[in-house]
Amino acid sequence: MRKTILISAIFSCFLGSFSFASSVKKDPSPHSEAKLLTDSSHKRIGFWLKMDSHWHTYWKNPGDSGLPVRFEWELPSGMTVQEREWPTPERVETAGITTFGYEDELLVSFDVGTNVQTPVEIKLIAKWLICEKVCLPASAELKAQYIPTETTDSKTAALFAEFEKKTPTALVGKNSVEVSDDSLEWNIDLSSLKTMPKRFEFFIQEKGIVDYSVPVKISRNKNILSLKQKKSEYAKSTPAELHGILKLTPFNSFFVTAINKTPVTITNETSSISSLLNSTDLGFITALLFAFLGGIILNLMPCVLPVISIKALGLIKHSGSRGEMTKKGLLFLLGVLTSFWVLVGALFILRAGGESIGWGFQLQSPLFVGLLASLMLAMSLNLLGVFEFGHSFALVSSRVQTEHPLVESFLSGILTTLVSTPCSAPFMGSALGYALSRPPVESWIIFTALGLGVAAPFTLVSLVPGFLRFLPKPGAWMDTFKKLLSLPLFATVGWLVWVYALQTEQSTLIGLGVSLVFLTIALIVYGRMISNPKGSTPVRSVLILVMGILFLSIFPWKPRISAPSSHDHTAGIWQPYSRELLETNLKMGKSVFVDFTAAWCLSCQVNKKLVLAQPDIEKAFTESGIVTLEADWTNENPAITDALQKLGRSGVPVYVFYKGNQHFILPEVLTKQIVTDAIERNKK
Amino acid sequence: MKCIIGIILGLLIGFATPAFSENAPKSEFKPAKDFKLMVLGTRKLMTLEQFKGAPLVLEWSNPDCPFVQKHYDSDNMQKLQKKYTALGIKWGIVFSGKTAKIKEKLLKNYYRRDKKIAKDVLLLTDESGDAGHDYGAKTTPHLFVIDAKSNLVYFGAIDDHRSADDNGFDKAKNFVAPVLDDLIAGKTPTQEPQAPYGCSVKY
């Protein structure tokens, strides 16, 4: 030690600029110098690291050894930064050990949130490893003044520009990766490239999945590049999406996002909060049971109850021959099951085609929501007695049905399924998530169980006529009851229109409103015509025809979907979800709460109204320092679908706390107590 | 009509049964590869065979590595070694490649004099790097646990605190201790391999 001091003393005499004290004190950032740079012209800041020659530091995935550079931000409240893609690293291989890193110089850029208007002081604590033959831990506390109006000096701007060139650009196309027991097989779509690369390197971004020591097997079929990598013996479950860099040259590289085609395996982090119903680790039999029970409960949902009740009333009124009732019951069952099978089939076909969709996906289509609203309106008017289809409580306006009660039973089964799907999440979130993550045959069975549950009450009544005795005798009460049942249906129409309003642009919404008015007029006139046949039939027929045509022509068949920003209804403490925002906050050591929700999800709205949007809960979130994000799934959003898949879910609502590498899922039905307890548990 | 329901139920049960067989716990371990390691400062050769009958921990190490230093400066590694060697488990600290060429005295001074490791812990050299490559040792530290029947029952990181600094280190979840506890209790270890972290082994 004395020798070192002597030597440094001699050096400091010669060099003059080094103080004696600093050469004795441990340098926090040996062989490297870090700075926090601001580029206000492009609303970004950057962590700049200059390393001594031959020393290096590591990429996000450091490879066999090393650690990535880590960032902890201290930002003024309200300010957010989003990490950009890191520059393309170099592969360093020594004696069978592969690492990915940077030599000489590194700049990692962060986008500054647009809400920063005034100069602010930002602080960054960065930690990295600096290695040559030996590795040394290094850290720096960096401060910078970010002045939004300032023009970046040319030297800094040039540095940012240089590293932007070294950063991979996203590869356009559908890429996939399949993970087997011992390998990963990437299929990368190169059709967007002008020329096919002859020489390239490929680095996977996720840590600990690939054994780097085994050479990559490469093959190409037209535009599809296939890369086979050996799976690491340490690899466990793989996420729903894997990433990598395809490096042609340091200045020409592409960022590859690939959908993991392997059935999602869920890392099981049991938490005391989640109840049995919410546990993601459901066994197959348990999932079947929950699906069946959930199906039965669905009969009570406001959107389903009227449909079922109408059927039951129909049975009481027309308790015809036993054989016919049995047929009706079974056809209803068949209608429910068929539509469940069609939905699941469609889901799997679309998924196989690379679409990111989940349960309830049909409600993400405004066209479907609009048609459903029209149908519901017609049904509620029917229940209200505005019009009737002969003697039957028909569902879709068609004469065929009155003549074929069996067809009607089948159709009402289909309708029951369609209206029940959005209500299914609160009872079966984990069962459905489990089902959709299983191989198709197993999913199919679970959904069949769900369908059996939905159809069970009505089918049982029709199969065992003895049950009819428990129902009250037909009478005048039935008419009143029917009218009462129209109320939840009207409410459903109102809700569907609200969903529609969030999904579409104003002009489309007006179109729907006007067409619904014409539909109502047409049905009122039709009702009059049936109940009072003495009036002028031709005139009324023409009127019905005109109104019907007006409805069909004004109805927005090609709804204009509103841009997400135009209905940005996240407010207050809630920020819109993005994966980057989640990851940045987690890296900063913060806990994050994400509310996965959708306008068409009724239970989501109830939870929001009664719990999450309550002032005391919002206050509890703010005081705990937990970042609150809202993931709005009203419209199709692959990023949110993927996040749900990673959680082992396929629908909303999902309420989840992320903390470090862990996450805790709350039940689908929230109470203030549940949320405050969870906040207490997850704050730092 | 009841037949139809019967068929549906039958199908459900038929499909449901094979689903039970999934998630079988994997309990087969691979036999550990043989190795030739030299006891530091001697010409004494140690092989896998000689350790048979007692569980063995091989710990790849390098005194220049800050990840290793973190575990020795905090007395974490020594405590682990002391506790388990006292319970009859063999423990070898392995130096591969260039690390094995560090002067014998410097290595001994660091581990025995400065860091006061338990007496029973062996310092082993692997100058050729063959043992390291055979075992797939990538980092320092990188640990391998071999049971009394010479099966490799755990390999990978020592804990989940993947960092060179000791910030929050006390809360780290150790992966090796539960494996050794299981072996001592005569149970089959259940800890899955965890990706190692640290400096590269200097082959």
Side-chain angles (χ1 to χ4, degrees):
Chain A
M1 182 52 104
R2 205 169 286 158
K3 214 173 177 181
T4 326
I5 295 171
L6 183 65
I7 292 170
S8 31
I10 295 166
F11 264 92
S12 60
C13 290
F14 279 118
L15 295 171
S17 63
F18 286 106
S19 77
F20 184 73
S22 74
S23 63
V24 176
K25 208 178 117 197
K26 203 175 150 196
D27 179 5
S29 64
H31 304 285
S32 49
E33 188 200 347
K35 265 187 194 158
L36 188 54
L37 302 177
T38 61
D39 179 10
S40 309
S41 308
H42 295 95
K43 295 207 175 307
R44 59 189 171 185
I45 47 183
F47 167 78
W48 179 72
L49 189 69
K50 178 84 189 151
M51 293 161 269
D52 289 356
S53 62
H54 305 301
W55 289 76
H56 61 269
T57 191
Y58 296 96
W59 182 44
K60 275 186 200 176
N61 174 8
D64 283 328
S65 64
L67 284 179
V69 185
R70 283 171 303 160
F71 305 105
E72 285 167 36
W73 291 96
E74 279 177 34
L75 301 170
S77 66
M79 181 180 175
T80 54
V81 291
Q82 274 203 26
E83 191 179 292
R84 287 198 174 194
E85 219 33 75
W86 290 25
T88 302
E90 281 167 57
R91 181 192 170 102
V92 182
E93 211 169 321
T94 33
I97 292 179
T98 309
T99 54
F100 305 105
Y102 306 94
E103 266 194 26
D104 190 29
E105 204 177 6
L106 169 67
L107 180 72
V108 180
S109 305
F110 299 82
D111 285 319
V112 175
T114 46
N115 55 347
V116 181
Q117 307 293 346
T118 48
V120 283
E121 167 106 347
I122 40 183
K123 197 171 142 192
L124 168 67
I125 300 170
K127 291 180 179 171
W128 65 96
L129 270 186
I130 181 88
C131 303
E132 194 215 10
K133 287 189 184 69
V134 293
C135 273
L136 301 168
S139 68
E141 265 191 48
L142 307 167
K143 276 183 196 153
Q145 186 84 3
Y146 180 79
I147 305 163
T149 50
E150 190 184 51
T151 321
T152 314
D153 68 86
S154 59
K155 210 176 130 197
T156 310
L159 195 63
F160 272 97
E162 184 198 333
F163 273 91
E164 210 168 330
K165 277 186 207 148
K166 286 185 185 170
T167 303
T169 47
L171 185 70
V172 185
K174 276 188 179 167
N175 310 305
S176 65
V177 57
E178 214 158 319
V179 186
S180 67
D181 282 347
D182 56 357
S183 67
L184 276 82
E185 204 164 341
W186 301 74
N187 279 309
I188 300 171
D189 181 1
L190 298 183
S191 50
S192 65
L193 299 190
K194 282 181 207 121
T195 49
M196 289 296 124
K198 290 204 174 62
R199 301 182 67 178
F200 61 85
E201 289 179 282
F202 183 76
F203 314 139
I204 179 174
Q205 183 180 282
E206 280 74 17
K207 286 177 259 187
I209 295 178
V210 163
D211 185 338
Y212 312 104
S213 63
V214 178
V216 183
K217 275 187 202 152
I218 303 161
S219 63
R220 185 187 293 147
N221 183 3
K222 286 177 191 156
N223 290 331
I224 303 294
L225 177 71
S226 295
L227 301 173
K228 197 170 178 180
Q229 291 184 299
K230 186 170 184 297
K231 194 171 156 187
S232 158
E233 47 192 358
Y234 297 104
K236 288 182 187 68
S237 62
T238 46
E241 216 178 67
L242 288 167
H243 308 87
I245 292 181
L246 189 70
K247 179 181 178 182
L248 311 188
T249 69
F251 290 100
N252 188 15
S253 54
F254 295 91
F255 190 74
V256 178
T257 302
I259 292 166
N260 190 346
K261 293 248 168 149
T262 330
V264 183
T265 45
I266 301 144
T267 46
N268 184 24
E269 277 139 10
T270 42
S271 91
S272 55
I273 312 167
S274 61
S275 60
L276 178 62
L277 251 173
N278 291 300
S279 147
T280 43
D281 190 29
L282 275 181
F284 183 68
I285 298 297
T286 330
L288 273 186
L289 193 71
F290 276 128
F292 184 75
L293 287 179
I296 293 177
I297 296 170
L298 275 185
N299 282 287
L300 299 173
M301 296 306 288
C303 34
V304 184
L305 187 66
V307 183
I308 302 283
S309 308
I310 299 163
K311 291 303 298 174
L313 287 179
L315 270 188
I316 302 173
K317 216 171 178 182
H318 312 282
S319 36
S321 72
R322 188 169 164 190
E324 196 177 328
M325 274 173 54
T326 312
K327 270 191 211 158
K328 271 190 186 173
L330 286 176
L331 274 165
F332 176 78
L333 172 70
L334 193 65
V336 171
L337 288 182
T338 311
S339 40
F340 266 101
W341 293 335
V342 169
L343 275 177
V344 176
L347 197 71
F348 272 102
I349 291 168
L350 290 172
R351 279 236 177 131
E355 298 274 345
S356 281
I357 49 172
W359 192 240
F361 67 93
Q362 70 271 36
L363 281 164
Q364 291 175 341
S365 150
L367 179 62
F368 180 85
V369 174
L371 286 173
L372 197 61
S374 312
L375 184 60
M376 289 285 187
L377 181 67
M379 280 177 61
S380 33
L381 290 173
N382 171 276
L383 285 176
L384 209 54
V386 167
F387 73 101
E388 289 201 23
F389 299 109
H391 295 295
S392 156
F393 307 99
L395 295 160
V396 185
S397 72
S398 157
R399 251 173 205 289
V400 187
Q401 286 164 38
T402 32
E403 285 149 26
H404 298 90
L406 297 180
V407 176
E408 189 205 319
S409 287
F410 185 76
L411 287 178
S412 47
I414 293 177
L415 183 71
T416 306
T417 308
L418 289 183
V419 296
S420 70
T421 41
C423 301
S424 52
F427 299 101
M428 285 156 301
S430 44
L432 294 184
Y434 175 86
L436 288 174
S437 65
R438 306 305 301 170
V441 175
E442 276 180 47
S443 301
W444 185 84
I445 296 170
I446 291 172
F447 279 96
T448 304
L450 178 60
L452 284 173
V454 170
F458 178 75
T459 309
L460 277 182
V461 169
S462 62
L463 288 183
V464 188
F467 282 132
L468 267 185
R469 266 184 289 136
F470 297 108
L471 296 173
K473 293 267 172 302
W477 66 270
M478 274 174 60
D479 197 47
T480 319
F481 182 59
K482 243 175 59 185
K483 285 186 173 148
L484 279 176
L485 280 180
S486 74
L487 295 178
L489 273 194
F490 272 122
T492 311
V493 174
W495 162 61
L496 286 170
V497 170
W498 176 66
V499 170
Y500 196 82
L502 291 178
Q503 287 175 331
T504 57
E505 285 191 356
Q506 208 171 18
S507 56
T508 310
L509 178 66
I510 292 169
L512 180 74
V514 173
S515 64
L516 288 182
V517 170
F518 287 125
L519 177 68
T520 312
I521 298 173
L523 290 174
I524 290 174
V525 177
Y526 175 75
R528 285 283 174 99
M529 194 165 80
I530 299 288
S531 62
N532 181 15
K534 280 175 197 154
S536 161
T537 308
V539 173
R540 290 193 292 197
S541 296
V542 170
L543 191 59
I544 293 169
L545 201 67
V546 170
M547 288 298 152
I549 290 170
L550 278 174
F551 165 69
L552 290 176
S553 54
I554 294 175
F555 185 86
W557 296 100
K558 283 182 184 163
R560 291 163 64 103
I561 294 167
S562 58
S565 55
S566 67
H567 72 264
D568 195 347
H569 53 281
T570 51
I573 62 168
W574 300 92
Q575 299 178 59
Y577 170 88
S578 76
R579 202 175 56 116
E580 293 76 23
L581 198 57
L582 173 66
E583 284 175 356
T584 318
N585 278 301
L586 288 178
K587 265 181 210 151
M588 284 153 63
K590 287 188 183 163
S591 294
V592 180
F593 176 78
V594 184
D595 168 17
F596 289 92
T597 181
W600 40 262
C601 159
L602 271 182
S603 49
C604 303
Q605 303 310 321
V606 173
N607 281 330
K608 188 177 206 170
K609 188 90 197 149
L610 297 182
V611 183
L612 293 177
Q614 292 286 319
D616 48 337
I617 295 292
E618 293 201 340
K619 200 170 152 230
F621 270 121
T622 325
E623 282 171 0
S624 66
I626 294 174
V627 178
T628 43
L629 304 181
E630 185 182 279
D632 187 347
W633 208 41
T634 304
N635 288 324
E636 202 190 323
N637 186 331
I640 294 176
T641 311
D642 286 345
L644 286 170
Q645 271 186 12
K646 277 181 203 161
L647 295 168
R649 294 303 178 90
S650 65
V652 284
V654 177
Y655 304 101
V656 55
F657 278 96
Y658 291 93
K659 190 181 182 183
N661 295 324
Q662 291 184 310
H663 65 260
F664 303 97
I665 299 180
L666 300 190
E668 279 95 352
V669 180
L670 294 181
T671 64
K672 284 190 176 180
Q673 192 63 40
I674 292 174
V675 177
T676 43
D677 284 356
I679 290 175
E680 199 56 40
R681 220 164 292 162
N682 285 291
K683 72 182 184 192
K684 273 205 114 173
Chain B
M1 285 306 156
K2 279 177 188 156
C3 301
I4 297 178
I5 297 178
I7 291 168
I8 293 174
L9 285 176
L11 281 174
L12 283 180
I13 294 163
F15 274 123
T17 325
F20 271 118
S21 60
E22 62 177 356
N23 294 333
K26 65 160 204 181
S27 59
E28 76 269 24
F29 295 112
K30 281 187 196 150
K33 288 186 181 157
D34 199 8
F35 54 75
K36 285 189 183 116
L37 293 168
M38 196 88 82
V39 177
L40 181 69
T42 67
R43 309 234 102 227
K44 196 178 166 195
L45 207 60
M46 301 298 284
T47 61
L48 181 64
E49 186 65 26
Q50 287 164 274
F51 290 100
K52 220 168 184 173
L56 166 68
V57 179
L58 292 180
E59 171 206 334
W60 260 260
S61 195
N62 173 1
D64 288 332
C65 168
F67 293 88
V68 170
Q69 288 161 6
K70 171 185 89 167
H71 286 283
Y72 281 97
D73 291 349
S74 62
D75 208 30
N76 177 52
M77 195 68 93
Q78 297 94 306
K79 273 186 199 156
L80 209 63
Q81 293 162 341
K82 202 169 187 175
K83 176 177 172 191
Y84 289 104
T85 50
L87 293 167
I89 284 172
K90 308 278 182 218
W91 195 298
I93 299 174
V94 184
F95 310 111
S96 279
K98 297 190 184 83
T99 314
K101 287 174 193 149
I102 296 176
K103 274 186 188 150
E104 179 201 329
K105 203 182 157 199
L106 287 175
L107 286 173
K108 276 190 177 161
N109 279 353
Y110 180 79
Y111 290 94
R112 299 234 183 259
R113 190 192 69 196
D114 299 345
K115 298 302 167 195
K116 302 191 171 52
I117 57 167
K119 252 189 193 158
D120 294 338
V121 175
L122 296 165
L123 298 179
L124 304 167
T125 59
D126 168 37
E127 225 179 287
S128 65
D130 289 346
H133 285 304
D134 283 348
Y135 271 74
K138 305 269 189 200
T139 64
T140 53
H142 192 164
L143 285 92
F144 297 83
V145 180
I146 298 160
D147 71 6
K149 289 175 193 149
S150 297
N151 290 316
L152 185 60
V153 295
Y154 175 79
F155 48 101
I158 176 164
D159 62 23
D160 65 353
H161 192 77
R162 307 175 71 85
S163 155
D165 59 46
D166 44 14
N167 220 339
F169 177 43
D170 45 336
K171 285 182 214 123
K173 179 176 180 264
N174 192 297
F175 297 126
V176 177
V179 175
L180 298 176
D181 289 336
D182 281 342
L183 288 178
I184 290 164
K187 286 190 268 182
T188 310
T190 51
Q191 177 61 56
E192 289 193 332
Q194 298 286 335
Y197 68 90
C199 315
S200 311
V201 174
K202 310 293 178 223
Y203 287 116

